[in-house]
Amino acid sequence: QVRLAESGGGSVRAGGSLRLSCGVVGYSYSSFCLAWFRQAPGREREGVASIPSIGGRNYYGDFANGRFTISQDSAERTAHLQMNSLEPEDTAMYYCAVDFGRTVCRLNADEFLYWGQGTQVTVSS
């Protein structure tokens, strides 16, 4: 059974940084996509960043490019999202998602089969 566990959320002041982590267990595929999505109250879910396990490119939401960096530790089966220069508009619940058997990891939520419970990020002005 595939399980995801997010950690690293919290509250910071504008301009601060947070590092989210997502551990994935219960799978044996070598190729997969890991991604972060977020959803704020009253707003639609949006893609933050994604990374393939093998080759390919990372994808970022327009708001994330230049401030957020996604990385992975394949041995630990963990993905990290480093978020710098945080703004109040970044306040949301952040969800980790994973899908298997592909290396093109566009930020389309419908293409991700497994999701974590989410971790809250709150940025105050």
Side-chain angles (χ1 to χ4, degrees):
Q1 183 178 2
V2 177
R3 298 192 306 277
L4 292 80
E6 301 106 329
S7 62
S11 298
V12 296
R13 302 287 292 271
S17 298
L18 282 173
R19 186 175 189 244
L20 307 183
S21 295
C22 173
V24 186
V25 298
Y27 70 94
S28 59
Y29 293 87
S30 60
S31 63
F32 55 88
C33 293
L34 275 164
W36 288 95
F37 293 83
R38 71 182 188 182
Q39 188 165 21
R43 299 186 65 177
E44 293 187 358
R45 181 171 51 189
E46 56 185 348
V48 180
S50 62
I51 186 169
S53 62
I54 302 174
R57 55 159 288 189
N58 301 344
Y59 288 85
Y60 291 93
D62 290 342
F63 60 87
N65 228 345
R67 298 190 298 133
F68 296 179
T69 303
I70 190 170
S71 61
Q72 64 164 321
D73 182 333
S74 297
E76 296 293 329
R77 297 188 173 185
T78 300
H80 305 286
L81 182 67
Q82 179 67 41
M83 303 187 295
N84 299 325
S85 301
L86 284 163
E87 303 166 351
E89 292 74 22
D90 295 315
T91 296
M93 185 72 79
Y94 284 69
Y95 297 92
C96 179
V98 67
D99 192 39
F100 302 105
R102 57 189 177 97
T103 57
V104 178
C105 305
R106 294 187 178 88
L107 286 168
N108 182 353
D110 292 339
E111 296 180 2
F112 287 84
L113 186 58
Y114 299 96
W115 293 77
Q117 294 298 308
T119 184
Q120 178 68 38
V121 171
T122 302
V123 185
S124 59
S125 57

